[in-house]
Every structure is written in structure tokens, then in C-alpha cells.
Amino acid sequence: APHKPVLLTGASGNLGRHLAAALAQQGWRLRLTDIMPFPDPLPSGASFVKSDLNDGVALIRQAEGCGAILHFGGVSVEKPFEEVLGPNLRGLYHVYEAARREGARVVFASSNHSIGFHERPSGNAERLDADCAFRPDGYYGLSKAYGELMGRMYWDKHGVENINLRIGSCFPKPIDRRMLSTWLSYGDLTRLVERCVLAERSGHAVIWACSDNPASYWGRDHRERIGWAPQDSAEPWRPEVGSITADPVTERYQGGGYTAIEYSRRT
Ligand code: 15L
């Protein structure tokens, strides 16, 4: 376990709940926070404080003495700009200011939607490397791109270490065809976050957070820097997942259905 406590934002969300249980199990001292009450029995060694990411003072207080901040809080799906702004943009700033004060490392739950308008590779086409251009597929994806760039800036300017996890689709199992490419198992997520915190040095890193899927869209990234490799694969679920959806925009781009929300391009 890490020497110092670890702060987890978004602790009441799907991934937060899973991480809280799994990391507490390994003996980690966790400080949990979320705007929603924590829905499970509190894991041993963990404390919970209800707070809003818009409240920077609260975040600074919670981060006191922490060696890492796992930032899984904020809006996690496409929403109107005004709803994304507070939690995802202002909240991110509060997380980074707290990390700067503490000399803590930030592990940011970014998303494939920061690059969602890259086309899916066909056949044996080259997979996309993590240094590709941002191509956000909505206000949510744009907030994730902003978060990755904020990490870039805080590393270059203040030496705040940060690892940006471009999470594909982290669910108990893949449930559609796209997820045969994008799925991340809970086990691989847990092992990834462990390495993010325990690795000696990270600098500013970007990692494709998906399992070892043969159909993955994604190629090179900074995983060797922290010593992580996924162990699971979506492929065994291929017979179970449904056929492709009818919408051509959804099928064309890596971000899937998010790219088609309010899509109005004509050329
Ligand atoms: C995300 O970023 C969302 O948080 C999640 O709910 C899924 O939609 C996932 O991306 C995905 O692309 O499958």
C-alpha cells in the first residue's frame, strides 16, 4: 500500500465504488468524496466526505497529507455545456490546485471521448497512438481533453505528476460490438490504478485504458513507464454481443453513439 493516504473523487460512481472496495481490500488508506452519498458500507480504512467539486476549499482540506488524488468525479456522460462546466472544468482546477499544494500525483479518469472523432481503424489499419490529436466528440469529451491538457500544463509549469487514463468502456462485461474494441475490465482498471499510484515516477503520462482486446483501436502509450499491462480480453463475449447498430455516424467513429448526439454536419 502507498505510504500516504489517497483521495478518491467520484467515490459513489460506478468506477469509484469499485475502486474504493478493491483498493481498501489491499490495505490502502482512502479518503472518499462525492456529491452523492456513498451507497455501500464504508470499506475499512476509508473515510467519506460529501462535497461538490465546485468547492475548492473543501477539496484542499480533503487532499491534506495525500500522496495521490484519483480524480473519478464529475459528469461522466454527454451533457449540455452548462452542466459540464462546473464539475468537469472548475472541478479539475480545484483538483490540480490541491495536488500542487500537496505535491501529490493526479490520476485522471479521462475518456476515449476526448479523441472520439477519430475513425475506427478498418482491417489491419494502424492503431491510434496516444499522442494523436484530440478530437472530442461533445462537451463531455472536450472537458476530458481540457483535463489532459491541464495535466500537461501543471507538469510543465509546476512539476505536478499526472497520469491520464483514456478509459474505453469500463463495465462488468462488454455489451455491444464496439465494446469488443473498447472494453476495460474492472480487474484491469484496479491493477492499472495501483500501478499509477505505486510507480516511482510518471511525469505527464497518457494511457489507453482498455483490456487486451484483439479488436482494440489503440496502440502506443506510456504504460511501460508505470509497468502495467492488461490481462483480460473482451473477445470471449463476441458471440453474446448484438449486431451493429444502424446509425452510420455511430459506426464510423471511435466514440460510437456519443459522436451521433446532435450531429448536424452535412459535408
Ligand atoms: C465514457 O466516457 C462514459 O463515462 C461511459 O459511460 C461510456 O459511455 C464510455 O465512455 C464508452 O465510450 O463506452
Side-chain angles (χ1 to χ4, degrees):
H3 299 304
K4 292 180 171 184
V6 170
L7 175 63
L8 171 63
T9 72
S12 305
N14 288 329
L15 305 194
R17 283 170 75 179
H18 168 78
L19 287 172
L23 299 174
Q25 183 84 41
Q26 320 262 10
W28 290 30
R29 278 175 298 158
L30 296 174
R31 304 218 190 128
L32 311 177
T33 182
D34 202 293
I35 197 165
M36 301 296 285
F38 191 66
D40 305 319
L42 211 54
S44 70
S47 57
F48 177 81
V49 174
K50 194 168 170 303
S51 74
D52 187 335
L53 288 166
N54 281 293
D55 183 351
V57 175
L59 254 168
I60 281 177
R61 200 172 299 138
Q62 288 157 30
E64 229 172 80
C66 287
I69 304 177
L70 310 178
H71 184 38
F72 281 68
V75 169
S76 67
V77 292
E78 181 62 354
K79 293 271 185 198
F81 177 77
E82 292 293 342
E83 288 174 48
V84 172
L85 173 60
N88 289 31
L89 303 187
R90 189 177 296 111
L92 206 50
Y93 164 68
H94 292 149
V95 165
Y96 269 96
E97 278 301 293
R100 170 150 84 118
R101 276 175 71 113
E102 296 301 324
R105 180 180 296 168
V106 175
V107 179
F108 176 49
S110 182
S111 168
N112 72 89
H113 296 291
S114 66
I115 57 87
F117 266 119
H118 281 279
E119 290 191 16
R120 302 182 188 190
S122 50
N124 287 334
E126 286 273 299
R127 290 175 171 192
L128 194 64
D129 293 337
D131 61 1
C132 66
F134 287 116
R135 297 188 78 169
D137 59 24
Y139 299 113
Y140 165 70
L142 192 54
S143 77
K144 296 301 188 183
Y146 181 81
E148 293 189 27
L149 275 172
M150 186 170 281
R152 177 83 263 181
M153 189 275 271
Y154 271 78
W155 168 245
D156 287 338
K157 194 160 198 164
H158 304 298
V160 175
E161 289 195 310
N162 57 90
I163 307 177
N164 301 272
L165 308 178
R166 280 193 195 146
I167 301 174
S169 308
C170 193
F171 295 97
K173 60 177 194 173
I175 53 167
D176 59 29
R177 261 183 77 95
R178 173 174 168 274
M179 288 195 199
L180 295 176
S181 302
T182 60
W183 187 60
L184 172 68
S185 72
Y186 281 170
D188 281 337
L189 170 72
T190 305
R191 291 182 287 269
L192 173 56
V193 170
E194 281 170 20
R195 288 311 308 152
C196 285
V197 175
L198 296 175
E200 194 64 41
R201 277 191 214 322
S202 74
H204 164 77
V206 180
I207 296 179
W208 297 115
C210 75
S211 285
D212 188 18
N213 309 325
S216 170
Y217 307 144
W218 304 315
R220 275 185 293 273
D221 61 13
H222 297 131
R223 65 190 56 195
E224 68 288 345
R225 218 187 271 175
I226 61 160
W228 173 75
Q231 299 173 12
D232 297 323
S233 165
E235 204 54 30
W237 278 275
R238 189 175 284 277
E240 278 181 40
V241 303
S243 56
I244 56 171
T245 63
D247 182 65
V249 175
T250 297
E251 289 306 319
R252 178 169 177 187
Y253 299 111
Q254 298 191 359
Y258 282 52
T259 62
I261 298 171
E262 307 251 320
Y263 187 86
S264 70
R265 181 170 168 174
R266 293 177 177 282
T267 53

